[in-house]
Amino acid sequence: MASDITSNAPADKSQAGLVIVNYGKNQLVEDVNGDIYRCVARRGLPQIVCGDEVEWQLTGDHSGVIETLLPRRTVLSRADGNRGQRPFATNIDQVIIEAALEPSLDYFLIDKYIIAAELADTNPLIVINKADLIKPEDRDRIDALLGEYRAIGYPALLTSALENTGIEAFIDCLTNKTSILVGQSGVGKSSLIKRLLPERDIAVGKLSAASGMGKHTTTSTTLYHLPRGGNLIDSPGVRDFHLGEVNGVDLANCFREFQPYLGQCRFNDCRHLSEPDCAITAAVADGSILKRRMQSYRQLL
């Protein structure tokens, strides 16, 4: 994170910046020197979110105005409350989907985040945290779940922030990438982040000073720089996650294990529900596609 918030930016000159926190009407923008400025966006610009690259100008002491939103490489979206979608992080390479047995292992929530990552053309990484709390009778179930996702083509890790289990492998997956950490409330995201970012409290204090809000709130999606290279965007924990409306064809393509069978159904417009001679349904019947994943597809459809 920024080494200080001293105002070194030249006034009346547009410069490059990175949005590291979005507070709604205000954004914290980091300049090329790592200094942080509280900015507002010019009227007419699209919604600015964490991870956006922008052109901005200095307007006052530690403050500025965002003039231009630069093209986004990737956009991770969620439902906007009206069946549509809105962005909540951009320019990411990887979506880290964290889950745990406690408070509960929500398979459907994991699958929804995977689809969001696929729609954004980013790579999902599944992390099952709190390995230290896994009881012997649950171990086979967790190992099977990790194996199922790996077989589909998704990397999956088992971690424990308390016992440092899997942390080095996790760091290797993050290095030199921009990743966003998502998941259900209570799965231990804060503990993992403390392992990844030993100086997070110092960074949070600098963000609080730059925001002028007195206190940095964990309800804001925030970008941090990783010590070994790369960025980690921390998003608030959720009870649930909604995708918004997704085209049925796009949805089917987002299930990687469906792809070898797509185009083999009797009907070109097959929705893979109850149509006769459906290749996807046949693959579920013979065990090539997991019934649980098929159930996720049908719920989303």
Side-chain angles (χ1 to χ4, degrees):
M1 192 52 60
S3 57
D4 58 56
I5 56 171
T6 305
S7 180
N8 295 321
D12 301 323
K13 182 179 180 182
S14 292
Q15 57 186 300
L18 174 66
V19 176
I20 56 174
V21 191
N22 172 36
Y23 289 119
K25 292 183 178 180
N26 296 286
Q27 291 81 35
L28 294 188
V29 175
E30 183 182 67
D31 72 3
V32 294
N33 298 314
D35 301 323
I36 305 170
Y37 301 84
R38 185 175 66 253
C39 294
V40 296
R42 288 281 187 210
R43 187 173 298 177
L45 288 178
Q47 180 184 1
I48 306 294
V49 298
C50 188
D52 272 332
E53 296 170 351
V54 298
E55 294 277 348
W56 68 284
Q57 283 191 11
L58 188 71
T59 58
D61 188 23
H62 312 315
S63 62
V65 58
I66 296 173
E67 301 278 357
T68 307
L69 172 64
L70 299 179
R72 294 163 164 169
R73 292 185 293 106
T74 57
V75 181
L76 187 67
S77 300
R78 61 186 173 197
D80 65 1
N82 193 31
R83 300 191 70 183
Q85 295 181 323
R86 61 184 175 91
F88 72 98
T90 62
N91 299 317
I92 57 175
D93 305 299
Q94 183 171 241
V95 179
I96 304 158
I97 304 160
E98 186 179 346
L101 276 177
E102 296 182 9
S104 64
L105 194 56
D106 190 333
Y107 298 90
F108 186 45
L109 181 60
I110 294 172
D111 284 341
K112 283 191 286 186
Y113 274 124
I114 288 174
I115 300 308
E118 293 280 11
L119 289 169
D121 198 24
T122 62
N123 295 310
L125 168 64
I126 293 110
V127 174
I128 306 298
N129 194 33
K130 299 187 179 180
D132 51 291
L133 299 181
I134 298 175
K135 298 176 182 178
E137 59 266 29
D138 292 319
R139 188 60 192 239
D140 287 347
R141 178 161 67 101
I142 296 301
D143 288 343
L145 178 69
L146 295 171
E148 288 169 356
Y149 281 120
R150 289 169 183 154
I152 294 169
Y154 299 121
L157 297 174
L158 186 64
T159 61
S160 168
L162 181 64
E163 297 181 345
N164 209 32
T165 303
I167 300 301
E168 279 301 316
F170 190 25
I171 291 172
D172 288 343
C173 291
L174 300 177
T175 303
N176 297 325
K177 299 175 183 174
T178 295
S179 306
I180 183 169
L181 183 59
V182 299
Q184 189 179 12
S185 299
V187 296
K189 287 163 71 262
S190 295
S191 298
L192 268 186
I193 287 174
K194 287 179 182 178
R195 284 283 186 184
L196 301 171
L197 299 163
E199 297 185 356
R200 178 175 180 264
D201 290 344
I202 297 173
V204 168
K206 290 173 180 174
L207 290 174
S208 300
S211 71
M213 299 174 68
K215 183 179 180 181
H216 179 67
T217 170
T218 56
T219 60
S220 299
T221 301
T222 304
L223 184 148
Y224 300 99
H225 301 304
L226 294 166
R228 298 189 193 177
N231 303 310
L232 179 65
I233 298 175
D234 179 26
S235 68
V238 300
R239 291 183 180 178
D240 201 358
F241 173 78
H242 298 286
L243 287 167
E245 192 166 357
V246 180
N247 177 281
V249 174
D250 291 339
L251 179 63
N253 274 291
C254 286
F255 281 77
R256 291 186 182 179
E257 65 270 46
F258 287 16
Q259 292 176 6
Y261 307 98
L262 295 174
Q264 297 183 24
C265 301
R266 181 200 293 185
F267 301 109
N268 292 332
D269 59 351
C270 185
R271 301 179 73 209
H272 321 301
L273 295 176
S274 58
E275 297 90 342
D277 297 327
C278 171
I280 301 294
T281 303
V284 174
D286 69 19
S288 300
I289 293 175
L290 293 170
K291 291 181 179 178
R292 175 182 62 75
R293 288 276 289 172
M294 187 63 177
Q295 183 179 5
S296 290
Y297 165 77
R298 287 175 170 164
Q299 279 186 260
L300 288 169
L301 191 64

